[in-house]
């Protein structure tokens, strides 16, 4: 499927149209949809706390407080604009952005788990062309569906000294689940269209794939005031199977009734197995903090390619060759946080304020008419973390901006408002009575 044909009529559609989501298993806004990360502009590798969950470095679970159960849920509202050099369209959408929990098993072993939206497929467009000189054919592209990630992880406190020196290591098992449907319909419009039947290509993909990642966090006190932190994450290469159902058939466009099945033919199965590949991914985070005052942190991420590499298990492919070019990907983020003082006399002094920026090189690479289009992305975020007046629970408010692509092809701009409630309650305390 050609990108330019899809972009050409993207602005004439209703609903939340995301043309870039036609590729792979859809478009992902992680980690920017999680408020605790969005407020830091995408910085996550050295972030941890006793009363919230950070799934992007599993070592962070080691900071969950003893005798505590942490339940973290969030929602967001996203305002999106699609534009090129001539057209513009706006849309809005709201979602639950995550459900997560964490708790200690021992003073050195903590666990966490949850559910995160991973990617979204939602597009519809129309283009026209001439079919073998016999007339005009209308090509209708559409796709819907989503993928979510269920994770369960553990973290271990290896060093936890009274002087502030800490070393934590952890891992996540991530289950990617979802269903995606895509179709191309061909409707013949020319004078000689009676010689042709309207045709449709349909593919349904079911995801149930297991991944895992590793993480380490280390903090070294430089003196009584300053602490230096390091975070490392690693996602190993994974090649996974994807179960799909494929149909190619002719139909009556007026009432959508089936006329004849082209694929599968007699003796063939409509079920195929395709491949999903996740590249090796390395992440490094550094932080420098003035204890209980402020922190500066930065993340860098390198990967063989962005997202997941999809290879259809049918020759020739039912939807043609992909326009995607899988090449090196890099993400960079920098953040500053003014840390709230929990011992402050005023409530405003206990609020943490943060802001950050990020940039992605090679967020997507496309081959279009022989040209290699490198699509970069950049964004920023800011937010506040407000302690509840009772207990250790937190309310996090965030707003993030993200720009994907450019106006010469198609630019997607989004503003995401997020709110997260992290409930941290003492569930494992044995009460004493006099």
């Amino acid at each position: 499927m050609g990108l330019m044909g899809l972009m050409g009529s993207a602005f004439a559609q209703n609903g939340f149209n995301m043309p870039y989501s036609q590729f792979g298993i859809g478009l992902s806004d992680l980690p920017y949809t999680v408020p605790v990360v969005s407020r830091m502009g995408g910085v996550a590798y050295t972030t941890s706390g006793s009363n919230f969950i950070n799934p992007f470095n599993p070592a962070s679970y080691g900071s969950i407080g003893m005798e505590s159960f942490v339940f973290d849920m969030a929602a967001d509202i996203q305002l999106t604009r699609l534009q090129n050099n001539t057209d513009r369209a706006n849309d809005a959408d709201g979602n639950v952005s995550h459900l997560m929990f964490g708790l200690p098993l021992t003073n050195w072993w903590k666990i966490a788990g949850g559910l995160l939206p991973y990617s979204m497929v939602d597009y519809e467009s129309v283009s026209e062309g001439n079919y073998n000189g016999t007339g005009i054919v209308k090509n209708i592209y559409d796709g819907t569906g989503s993928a979510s990630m269920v994770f369960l992880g553990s973290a271990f406190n290896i060093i936890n000294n009274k002087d502030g020196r800490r070393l934590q290591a952890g891992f996540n098992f991530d289950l990617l689940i979802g269903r995606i449907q895509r179709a191309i319909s061909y409707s013949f419009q020319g004078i000689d269209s009676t010689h042709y039947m309207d045709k449709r290509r349909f593919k349904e993909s079911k995801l149930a794939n297991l991944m895992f990642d590793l993480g380490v966090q280390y903090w070294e006190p430089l003196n009584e005031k300053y602490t230096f932190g390091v975070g490392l994450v690693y996602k190993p290469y994974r090649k996974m199977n994807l179960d799909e159902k494929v149909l190619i058939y002719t139909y009556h466009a007026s009432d959508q009734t089936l006329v004849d099945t082209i694929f599968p033919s007699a003796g063939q199965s409509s079920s195929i197995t395709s491949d999903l590949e996740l590249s090796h991914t390395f992440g490094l985070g550094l932080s420098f903090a003035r204890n209980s005052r402020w922190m500066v942190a930065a993340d860098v991420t390198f990967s063989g390619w962005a997202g997941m590499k999809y290879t259809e298990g049918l020759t020739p492919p039912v939807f043609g060759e992909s326009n995607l070019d899988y090449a090196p990907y890099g993400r960079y983020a920098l953040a500053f946080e003014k840390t709230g003082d929990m011992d402050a006399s005023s409530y405003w002094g206990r609020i943490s304020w943060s802001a950050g920026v990020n940039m992605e090189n090679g967020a997507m690479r496309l081959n279009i008419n022989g040209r290699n289009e490198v699509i970069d992305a950049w964004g920023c975020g800011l937010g506040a973390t407000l302690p509840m007046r009772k207990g250790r629970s937190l309310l996090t408010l965030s707003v993030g901006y993200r720009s994907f692509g450019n106006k010469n092809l198609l630019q997607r701009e989004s503003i995401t408002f997020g709110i997260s409630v992290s409930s941290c309650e003492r569930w494992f305390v044995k009460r004493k009575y006099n």
Side-chain angles (χ1 to χ4, degrees):
M1 180 188 342
L3 179 70
M4 297 306 291
L6 185 60
M7 302 305 182
S9 57
F11 301 96
Q13 309 305 317
N14 296 319
F16 196 68
N17 199 354
M18 300 189 298
Y20 285 120
S21 70
Q22 69 173 292
F23 301 104
I25 60 170
L27 192 65
S28 177
D29 285 324
L30 284 178
Y32 310 110
T33 54
V34 177
V36 72
V37 179
S38 177
R39 71 183 181 93
M40 300 283 284
V43 169
Y45 296 149
T46 57
T47 303
S48 69
S50 63
N51 46 6
F52 66 87
I53 308 299
N54 171 20
F56 303 106
N57 187 337
S60 66
Y61 312 149
S63 297
I64 296 173
M66 287 299 299
E67 304 172 344
S68 299
F69 179 84
V70 181
F71 181 75
D72 194 341
M73 65 179 298
D76 63 56
I77 296 175
Q78 188 174 77
L79 309 178
T80 302
R81 171 181 292 174
L82 296 175
Q83 60 183 339
N84 57 23
N85 290 321
T86 57
D87 297 293
R88 176 182 297 179
N90 299 301
D91 217 323
D93 193 25
N95 294 286
V96 174
S97 59
H98 69 252
L99 296 170
M100 300 185 290
F101 72 91
L103 70 157
L105 296 183
T106 69
N107 61 352
W108 54 269
W109 180 14
K110 319 292 175 64
I111 64 171
L115 172 67
L116 293 165
Y118 186 85
S119 65
M120 177 70 70
V121 173
D122 192 357
Y123 62 91
E124 181 181 358
S125 65
V126 179
S127 66
E128 291 186 349
N130 191 286
Y131 184 75
N132 291 338
T134 60
I136 300 298
V137 60
K138 180 183 292 185
N139 305 312
I140 305 169
Y141 307 94
D142 65 271
T144 59
S146 62
S148 300
M149 186 176 72
V150 180
F151 73 92
L152 181 63
S154 285
F156 307 93
N157 294 332
I158 301 171
I159 299 174
N160 191 8
N161 294 344
K162 293 182 179 180
D163 63 359
R165 182 181 291 107
R166 290 187 293 150
L167 175 62
Q168 301 171 178
F171 65 86
N172 275 338
F173 285 107
D174 308 315
L175 178 62
L176 194 64
I177 56 175
R179 177 176 294 186
I180 298 169
Q181 295 180 335
R182 289 186 170 93
I184 307 177
S185 301
Y186 305 95
S187 179
F188 293 91
Q189 310 293 308
I191 297 175
D192 296 329
S193 61
T194 53
H195 297 290
Y196 302 93
M197 299 298 295
D198 294 322
K199 189 169 68 171
R200 183 174 174 85
R201 296 171 178 260
F202 172 83
K203 179 165 59 178
E204 181 180 65
S205 307
K206 296 181 180 179
L207 295 91
N209 305 102
L210 187 64
M211 308 174 292
F212 68 95
D213 52 281
L214 307 170
V216 174
Q217 289 184 331
Y218 176 73
W219 293 272
E220 175 69 29
L222 303 179
N223 52 41
E224 293 182 355
K225 294 183 178 181
Y226 298 99
T227 301
F228 177 73
V230 179
L232 298 170
V233 296
Y234 171 62
K235 293 180 181 291
Y237 169 84
R238 283 277 289 141
K239 186 173 184 178
M240 301 164 285
N241 292 330
L242 180 63
D243 294 328
E244 298 189 299
K245 179 180 180 180
V246 174
L247 292 173
I248 304 175
Y249 56 91
T250 55
Y251 68 105
H252 288 299
S254 57
D255 56 10
Q256 303 293 309
T257 57
L258 177 67
V259 175
D260 186 31
T261 300
I262 301 173
F263 180 90
S265 59
Q268 285 184 310
S269 172
S270 62
S271 298
I272 66 172
T273 300
S274 298
D275 292 331
L276 277 181
E277 295 178 75
L278 179 70
S279 174
H280 291 284
T281 302
F282 302 88
L284 168 66
L286 301 174
S287 66
F288 180 71
R290 170 75 184 269
N291 300 342
S292 302
R293 295 287 186 86
W294 52 261
M295 179 184 69
V296 177
D299 284 359
V300 294
T301 306
F302 298 103
S303 182
W305 57 81
M308 290 192 177
K309 183 178 181 180
Y310 168 79
T311 305
E312 186 179 294
L314 189 66
T315 304
V318 64
F319 281 179
E321 296 294 337
S322 173
N323 295 73
L324 279 179
D325 180 23
Y326 297 94
Y329 162 80
R331 184 174 72 89
Y332 314 90
L334 176 67
F336 174 81
E337 179 179 40
K338 186 271 179 186
T339 309
D341 183 359
M342 299 308 296
D343 297 324
S345 58
S346 69
Y347 178 76
W348 291 103
R350 298 196 293 271
I351 298 175
S352 295
W353 304 90
S354 55
V357 295
N358 61 77
M359 181 176 64
E360 298 182 41
N361 291 334
M364 184 177 287
R365 298 171 187 263
L366 298 172
N367 291 315
I368 300 176
N369 298 327
R371 303 191 320 271
N372 184 25
E373 294 280 352
V374 180
I375 299 173
D376 297 327
W378 70 274
C380 58
L382 55 88
T385 300
L386 293 74
M388 301 296 191
R389 291 188 180 274
K390 295 182 179 180
R392 297 170 295 162
S393 301
L394 300 174
L395 175 67
T396 300
L397 304 175
S398 68
V399 57
Y401 170 82
R402 180 166 161 80
S403 174
F404 189 95
N406 58 75
K407 291 183 181 180
N408 292 329
L409 185 60
L410 182 72
Q411 183 179 29
R412 177 180 183 260
E413 294 180 291
S414 60
I415 298 177
T416 304
F417 299 91
I419 179 170
S420 172
V421 177
S422 180
S423 174
C424 182
E425 304 296 337
R426 293 184 180 273
W427 278 26
F428 307 104
V429 177
K430 294 183 178 179
R431 300 188 181 275
K432 297 181 180 180
Y433 298 91
N434 294 327

